[in-house]
Amino acid sequence: DVLAARRASLGDGDPETLTTVSNLATCLHVQGSLREAEELYREAWRGRRELLGEQHPDTLRIVNKLAALLHASGALDEAEELYCAALLGRTEALGPEHPDTLRTQGNLSVFLSSTGRRQPARCPDAVGVLAAALGTAASGATVTPCEAPRAAGPRPSSDRDLALLGTGAPNAPRCAWEETTSGGAVISVQM
């Protein structure tokens, strides 16, 4: 098995080994083996934090994937915390317009919508980030999720469209979401 070979030849903390751990976690997540995938995502997260630091884009990618898995498995409070950490970290490290930041905004919006939450209770700073993405006042802003997910429709044309869906933007379309092979979520527009 590839992971065992990487561990034997490169060691557990090697960047290539950690990439293999993360890739295997994603495969297991897609196959529905959530417990095994969670263990591997957590291992990859620990390794990336030790190797690259908490705010490195590769570390934050694992945080976002783990949040998606926890969301799917029903660990909603931790999923929310991790989505928020990924969003705040990516906004700081990559900027508010970076595609990874916009994807995380979309993921958090989908999370809020699918759980019926109006705003992230565990990370009020994320409300400001989401509000700023929409060009609304950050202080006291409430992020309003879109209507309950529906059957998938055509995909948004840009990452910016993904971020705007489900956040209460004026005339925002209803949205739907589905799990992807990368462990994230795709939001689809319904006109």
Side-chain angles (χ1 to χ4, degrees):
D1 124 309
V2 175
L3 180 56
R6 295 245 187 210
R7 289 185 196 278
S9 65
L10 302 173
D12 289 341
D14 184 84
E16 293 298 320
T17 302
L18 294 172
T19 297
T20 302
V21 168
S22 175
N23 290 343
L24 179 57
T26 299
C27 289
L28 291 169
H29 182 180
V30 169
Q31 293 173 353
S33 300
L34 301 183
R35 186 171 302 151
E36 295 96 337
E38 181 180 347
E39 290 173 16
L40 290 173
Y41 277 141
R42 289 187 188 280
E43 178 185 340
W45 184 25
R46 277 190 304 277
R48 293 283 185 206
R49 281 193 320 243
E50 291 171 10
L51 186 67
L52 303 171
E54 196 74 44
Q55 298 300 312
H56 191 278
D58 290 345
T59 305
L60 295 169
R61 183 176 305 114
I62 299 298
V63 172
N64 193 58
K65 288 181 176 187
L66 179 57
L69 179 136
L70 293 170
H71 180 194
S73 66
L76 302 181
D77 289 340
E78 187 177 6
E80 181 180 311
E81 288 176 15
L82 293 179
Y83 275 135
C84 290
L87 176 58
L88 296 172
R90 283 178 160 179
T91 300
E92 184 176 319
L94 303 171
E97 296 294 322
H98 190 278
D100 289 347
T101 304
L102 295 172
R103 266 187 223 91
T104 303
Q105 288 174 2
N107 289 346
L108 180 57
S109 295
V110 166
F111 172 83
L112 293 171
S113 175
S114 69
T115 59
R117 299 176 184 198
R118 294 188 59 76
Q119 64 184 19
R122 301 195 166 281
C123 54
D125 291 343
V127 173
V129 172
L130 288 171
L134 297 171
T136 61
S139 63
T142 298
V143 178
T144 305
C146 63
E147 294 181 22
R150 308 236 189 266
R155 293 182 186 224
S157 60
S158 71
D159 287 325
R160 181 89 177 147
D161 293 341
L162 285 172
L164 292 174
L165 290 175
T167 55
N171 302 318
R174 294 181 313 192
C175 65
W177 66 281
E178 60 190 37
E179 292 296 320
T180 66
T181 56
S182 65
V186 170
I187 302 175
S188 301
V189 178
Q190 288 189 348
M191 299 302 189

